[in-house]
Each structure stands twice: as structure tokens, then as C-alpha cells.
Amino acid sequence: MTQLWDFKGGIHPVEHKQISTSRPITAAGIPEQLVLPLQQHIGDPAEAVVAVGDTVLKGQLIADSRHGMGVPVHAPTSGTIEHIGDHPVPHPSGMTDTCITLTPDGADQWVERQPVSDYRKLGRDEVLNIIHRAGISGMGGAGFPTDIKLKPSRDRKVDTLILNGAECEPYITADDMTMRERADHVIAGLKVMAWVLRPERCVIGIEDNKPEAASALNKAIEGTRIEIAVIPTKYPSGGEKQLIQILTGKEVPSGGIPADIGVMCQNIGTAVAVSRAIFEGTPLIERTVTLTGEALTTPGNFDVLLGTPVDYLLEQAGLQTDRLSRLVLGGPMMGHTLTTTTVPVIKTSNCIIAATATELPEPPPEQPCIRCARCADVCPMGLLPQQLFWHAKAAEFEKAEHLNLFDCIECGACSYVCPSSIPLVQYYRYAKGEIRVQQAEQLKSDHARERFEARQQRLEREQKEKEQRRKERAQAAAEAQKKKTTEAEKATAKGEAKNTRAAKAALVEQALARKKSNSDSTRTGAASEPEKTDTKALEQQLAQAQSKLENMQSMLDDAKAQQADNVSKLERAVAKNRDRVKRAENALEEARSPRAAQSEFQSTE
């Protein structure tokens, strides 16, 4: 007999399970429209691979998950893609999300399927790929992608695989009826998952209020090493961490996952989906849903196509609108009230409760906490609900997080026993949401700071590189100038030094004066001999101007080659020296002209 342990706290609410177990699982049929959200699980949404107007077959891929943590979406029946856009989805906030609307054609024609007769001949990765391509995610809780969950990291060896058949929440009987009627599919799927994981132990946990399911599974496991563990009925024994503690005596560490202690939990519906994907080649396009509550005339469990609107299911179960007081998606402890019946069934939808006013009455007004500590007594996680409530209400989120707020599984046991009717779980959800928002903002802020710091480092690096290039250019220019200076000193030693600017100006003035004097002599017809022109000095001046122009031009060429900062300054200097050379040439030419004219005049005499 399997050894069992217990967990702290827990409650025993009225079960109400007999309402939906009086008849077999029934097919819900095909509604007029199917609405398929692109995100039906935790992780990344799928991307549509069809367009409006496309005709699809049953089981055909209509949205794929190409990256990240996601799974594909398939057409639950054959028909035409009517719309792709926002539509209300099952969420406590009543939010909308991107959905594919499919109008069935009634033919229910299948796409070609590829079942596997012997999965043991395939590799583990091939089997996991089949599970992924079938769009299977956990069909209870957050809906974690099954192929990713079945492939833990190398440092997390799973030695115990648990199939969760506890189904502890009141009203819900989908897993109970599945185990009763489809035990062979459950065990077949469990065997596939066990073959992938290779654990030392496989055990199915069932509460003792499900004797028919336990009997059916005991028959199905004959000849195998799978254990059936019948556990005491107590809410929330079906919680993952609580069931692990009951069956193994181990506790999942705070902030950790079951794989950290070598354990993995899977859902009954997930096992059936894996079995169908492998042995029938059928993707996850339908699930079993419990329709219950005293406002229904024919409650029970139904095989429902994913995307089926809630209002269609309520019609199938005989809804009495005049008796309906409250519509709950999920169980009464962890579910949420529906504000519209147009939302569709998704992969994690397991129950819809149509309750009357006496069945699920509105909670009385919230009263001040009387510090009775009942909430702490029943908390299955051993937390301090009273302190968490105070911190959440006072927006002291850091203190709430310090008290392990995120270890809360939101089972609702504390709210159930609170004599002051305080909706404790709602406060905890609010605090978690605010903390996640703050963490997201902090993450964005950190990313922005990292980008800013990276930009500053880049600018500083570029400035240093620019400064280094400037220094190199300056050094090159200094070396070139030093070379020119050396050459000038050598020229000075040879007697080829340049006159000062004043001397050059004086020579230019003398030349201009001589030019004017010669012009006056020509106009007056004076026959006197022109004043002697010092042509030798003008020639020397021209030579010096040309030499300086050559030096400046050489410096300009060097500066351009090195992309120096003083290129424009040197260009102006070169232009100025060219003007000086031109003026010196003109002065020399004018100085020589009167002498030549006089020589010609004397020869004619």
C-alpha cells in the first residue's frame, strides 16, 4: 500500500459533485460558430496561418507557434474562416484577445492524420515534437505547454511522475467521469509520458470520494508498475504542491517548481490528449467540460469542441434563465464569474456552473478583521493570510512579497472560513498584479538605463578616438612644420633666406613709385633717362615669393593628405602667397619695360 502524508490546513466544503455524475459523457455537438483564441495557455500566443475566407478541415493547423513557449491551434471542425480579430475571452477581467472565428460547414471532414503504432521506435524528441504539434498544453491550472514540461533540464532528473486525479474542488467532475469511462486512454497517455521521462515511480492520486474512477483505473493498470493512491478527501488536495506532499512527503521549495525535488505532475485530461495525439494522430481540438448547477435541467459532462461559446453549451444543458443567479467559469473556489456568455471554451476550461441565488448566494458585505486566525489555520501553504491582507490593503507590496505572497495558490480556503466575509484572495490577486506591474516597469527602467549607459560609453569611446586622431594629425603637422623649418634654416645658411615682410613691402612700394614716375615721364615727353630700376632686388623678391608659395603649397598638400584641421587656413595662405607672386611678377615686368623701351629709342637715334 502506498504510504501517504498530510499537508497543513485544508477545508471540507460541500461537494455538489452528484449533480453532474448521473449520466455518461455526452457530445455537445457543433455550434454555429467557433471562436478560437490564439493564446489558450501560459506562454506566447500562436500566430494565425490562415486568412479570412480560407476553407479548413477538421484538425488542420490554423495558428502556429514558431518561437517562444507556445503551442499551435487547430480547427475543431471543417468550415470557413469568418473573422480574425478581438473577441471576449475567458478571463476574470473580461478582456478581449485576438481570436479566429470559424463557421462550420457541417461536414466535419478530417484532415489526413498520422497515428503512431509504436512510439517506442521513435526518439524522445520525435515524440515530444508530436505532442507539441498536436497543440497539447496542461488542461488544468495555467496550461503549461506539455512538451516543454516533459523535457526538464539535465540537472532536474524526474524520479516520480504523478497523475493528478484528485479533482478536489466542488462541482467539477470532468476528470472523475473521464477516469470512469476512458481509463484505457488515461493509462496509455501516462505510459507515453513515463517513456519520455523514464521515472522510477508512476502514481495516480485519487480522492476517496471517487471509488468508480479508482476501480476503473485499477483494472486498466493490470500488468504495469503504475500505482493507484487513494487519498483522503480534503480541499485543496488536488493542488499540485499539496498532492506532491501527500504522495511523497516532499515539499516544493518556496519559489521553486516540482522538478526541483525530482517530481512532475500531469493532468488527467492531458494524459488523454497525449494518448490521442500519439495513437490516433488527433490534435487537441476538444475537451471534457462539466456543466452543472441547479439552474440547469440536464447537467452533466460534455465533450466540447474548443471554441464553443458558453451560451451554446448552456442551451445543451437546458439552462433555466429565470432561475439563473450567477454564472461561474471553473469551480466555486478558484473560478471567476462570467459577465458574458459569448466567451468560448478553451484548453483549460473544465467547468461551468449555472447557480441559483440560494446555491451560490452573493457574499455579505466585508466586515473588519477580528483576528480570529481561522485563515491561517486552513492555509495549505502555511502562510500568514491576515498579515498578507493588511499589507495588500495598505499597498505595502514589498512587505507582502517578503511574506511569500507568491507562494499563495489562491485556493480560496481562507476566504471560505473568514467570519468577516473578507475576499482575501481578491486582495492577494490585486497585490500580485501590482507587483508584476512594478517588476515590469523596473525591468523597462533597467533596460533603458543599460541602453543609456551603453550609449554614453559609446560616445566617450568615439570622443577618445576622435581626440586620438586629432593628436595624431597635430603631431604629423608638427613634424611636417619641423621639417619645413629645418629646410628653411638650411636655405638661410646658403644665403637664400627670405626678407622680412617690411622689406618686401618697401620693395613693392619702390616698384610702384618707379612705375608712377615712368608713367609721368612718358606723359610729359621728358627725354631724360628713366631712373634706374633695381631689377635685381625685384628678381630676388620674386624668387623669395615663389619659394614661400612652394613651401605653403607643400604644407597644404600634407595637411590634406592627413585630413588636418588647418586645411582651410593653409588654403587661404596659399591663395595670399599666389597674389604676392603675381604682384612681384608684375612689378618686375614693369621695371624692365622702361629700360627696354629706352634701349630701343637710343638705338634708333
Side-chain angles (χ1 to χ4, degrees):
M1 183 176 178
T2 303
Q3 181 180 356
L4 301 179
W5 286 262
D6 195 10
F7 63 90
K8 178 185 179 296
I11 57 176
H12 296 84
V14 181
E15 295 179 2
H16 295 290
K17 291 181 179 286
Q18 72 285 352
I19 300 175
S20 56
T21 56
S22 60
R23 61 186 186 128
I25 299 174
T26 307
I30 303 175
E32 294 181 358
Q33 278 193 336
L34 295 168
V35 180
L36 299 151
L38 297 184
Q39 185 170 20
Q40 303 184 34
H41 52 81
I42 191 172
D44 302 312
E47 298 177 10
V49 296
V50 292
V52 175
D54 287 355
T55 300
V56 297
L57 298 176
K58 184 174 184 177
Q60 179 178 329
L61 182 74
I62 60 174
D64 201 1
S65 177
R66 299 184 176 91
H67 55 79
M69 190 174 67
V71 294
V73 179
H74 302 79
T77 187
S78 56
T80 304
I81 303 300
E82 190 72 27
H83 179 259
I84 300 177
D86 288 345
H87 190 277
V89 294
H91 193 273
S93 67
M95 64 180 287
T96 62
D97 202 357
T98 305
C99 301
I100 297 176
T101 302
L102 171 65
T103 300
D105 57 13
D108 205 34
Q109 183 178 356
W110 272 99
V111 72
E112 182 180 355
R113 290 178 283 178
Q114 297 178 337
V116 176
S117 57
D118 188 358
Y119 60 89
R120 294 179 179 84
K121 294 182 179 179
L122 303 177
R124 289 179 60 205
D125 289 340
E126 291 179 276
V127 173
L128 289 172
N129 186 57
I130 293 173
I131 293 173
H132 171 76
R133 299 309 301 169
I136 301 175
S137 60
M139 298 174 70
F144 198 89
T146 302
D147 64 298
I148 297 177
K149 192 172 183 178
L150 287 173
K151 194 175 183 179
S153 57
R154 293 182 179 273
D155 59 338
R156 290 172 171 169
K157 175 66 173 71
V158 174
D159 52 39
T160 302
L161 175 59
I162 296 175
L163 199 61
N164 188 347
E167 198 172 45
C168 60
E169 191 161 1
Y171 284 94
I172 308 175
T173 59
D175 287 349
D176 182 6
M177 296 303 294
T178 298
M179 290 185 286
R180 294 188 196 185
E181 300 182 18
R182 296 164 184 169
D184 290 340
H185 285 86
V186 172
I187 300 304
L190 177 58
K191 286 181 178 178
V192 172
M193 293 187 286
W195 181 83
V196 171
L197 287 171
R198 315 289 171 89
E200 299 175 3
R201 179 190 182 200
C202 287
V203 56
I204 305 175
I206 309 175
E207 282 190 327
D208 56 12
N209 61 355
K210 304 175 181 61
E212 298 90 344
S215 176
L217 288 177
N218 272 312
K219 184 177 180 181
I221 65 170
E222 290 179 358
T224 71
R225 297 173 58 188
I226 299 173
E227 304 173 32
I228 302 295
V230 179
I231 64 177
T233 298
K234 182 172 70 168
Y235 180 83
S237 60
E240 183 178 62
K241 296 180 179 180
Q242 284 67 45
L243 186 60
I244 290 173
Q245 189 171 355
I246 292 172
L247 297 177
T248 67
K250 300 178 181 179
E251 291 189 30
V252 179
S254 176
I257 60 174
D260 294 336
I261 57 173
V263 181
M264 180 176 295
C265 278
Q266 294 288 355
N267 183 266
I268 293 294
T270 304
V272 174
V274 168
S275 172
R276 288 176 172 172
I278 298 296
F279 300 109
E280 301 174 10
T282 302
L284 179 53
I285 57 174
E286 70 175 16
R287 68 155 298 140
T288 303
V289 179
T290 301
L291 274 84
T292 185
E294 295 179 0
L296 300 178
T297 57
T298 55
N301 287 274
F302 295 80
D303 282 334
V304 181
L305 297 178
L306 299 182
T308 300
V310 169
D311 51 10
Y312 172 83
L313 289 179
L314 294 174
E315 291 179 10
Q316 304 305 304
L319 175 65
Q320 303 174 71
T321 55
D322 57 332
R323 300 190 63 196
L324 179 64
S325 172
R326 187 178 172 197
L327 199 61
V328 178
L329 182 62
M333 304 298 293
M334 300 184 67
H336 63 272
T337 301
L338 287 175
T339 57
T340 174
T341 58
T342 60
V343 297
V345 168
I346 60 174
K347 296 177 182 181
T348 56
S349 303
N350 59 354
C351 181
I352 300 171
I353 304 174
T356 61
T358 56
E359 189 178 12
L360 288 180
E362 289 293 326
E366 177 182 337
Q367 301 294 324
C369 174
I370 61 173
R371 305 189 182 192
C372 64
R374 293 184 186 178
C375 54
D377 292 339
V378 301
C379 178
M381 296 301 298
L383 302 177
L384 300 172
Q386 190 179 63
Q387 282 81 352
L388 290 174
F389 159 65
W390 289 333
H391 292 320
K393 191 171 184 178
E396 297 173 340
F397 303 126
E398 186 175 349
K399 294 181 179 179
E401 190 174 8
H402 182 70
L403 291 175
N404 300 319
L405 171 67
F406 283 92
D407 283 346
C408 171
I409 61 174
E410 302 178 17
C411 65
C414 54
S415 300
Y416 183 82
V417 300
C418 180
S420 297
S421 301
I422 301 174
L424 295 168
V425 173
Q426 278 68 23
Y427 281 103
Y428 305 153
R429 287 175 179 169
Y430 161 73
K432 288 180 180 180
E434 290 299 310
I435 292 172
R436 292 189 182 102
V437 170
Q438 291 179 2
Q439 290 174 343
E441 293 296 328
Q442 183 62 44
L443 187 61
K444 288 172 60 178
S445 176
D446 291 343
H447 286 168
R449 187 187 69 254
E450 290 172 1
R451 290 195 301 269
F452 174 77
E453 292 175 350
R455 179 178 181 273
Q456 289 299 106
Q457 291 175 0
R458 176 176 57 80
L459 292 176
E460 290 175 4
R461 184 175 64 254
E462 292 176 352
Q463 183 62 30
K464 289 180 181 178
E465 292 173 353
K466 183 178 179 181
E467 183 66 20
Q468 182 63 28
R469 289 195 299 269
R470 188 193 68 76
K471 289 181 179 179
E472 291 173 355
R473 290 195 301 267
Q475 183 179 358
E479 291 175 354
Q481 182 62 36
K482 183 177 180 181
K483 181 179 178 182
K484 297 297 181 183
T485 303
T486 303
E487 292 176 353
E489 290 175 351
K490 290 180 180 179
T492 302
K494 293 179 181 180
E496 299 175 356
K498 303 174 180 61
N499 293 334
T500 62
R501 181 174 296 181
K504 296 175 186 177
L507 291 175
V508 173
E509 291 295 331
Q510 291 175 8
L512 292 175
R514 286 192 296 271
K515 179 179 178 182
K516 183 178 180 183
S517 176
N518 291 337
S519 299
D520 293 343
S521 299
T522 302
R523 284 196 300 270
T524 56
S528 61
E529 184 178 350
E531 184 182 351
K532 274 189 176 182
T533 305
D534 193 355
T535 57
K536 186 176 181 180
L538 291 174
E539 289 173 352
Q540 185 178 2
Q541 178 183 353
L542 176 60
Q544 291 172 351
Q546 289 174 339
S547 177
K548 185 172 182 180
L549 176 61
E550 290 175 0
N551 289 338
M552 297 302 295
Q553 184 65 49
S554 176
M555 291 175 64
L556 175 61
D557 293 340
D558 291 342
K560 287 183 176 179
Q562 298 172 11
Q563 297 182 351
D565 297 335
N566 60 342
V567 170
S568 59
K569 183 177 180 180
L570 290 172
E571 287 177 342
R572 292 194 298 272
V574 168
K576 188 174 182 179
N577 278 277
R578 282 177 182 163
D579 291 341
R580 289 176 179 172
V581 171
K582 187 66 174 175
R583 289 198 301 270
E585 288 175 346
N586 291 340
L588 180 59
E589 183 180 355
E590 291 174 359
R592 287 173 176 171
S593 294
R595 200 180 286 268
Q598 184 178 8
S599 300
E600 184 179 352
F601 174 73
Q602 290 175 349
S603 65
T604 56
E605 285 183 340

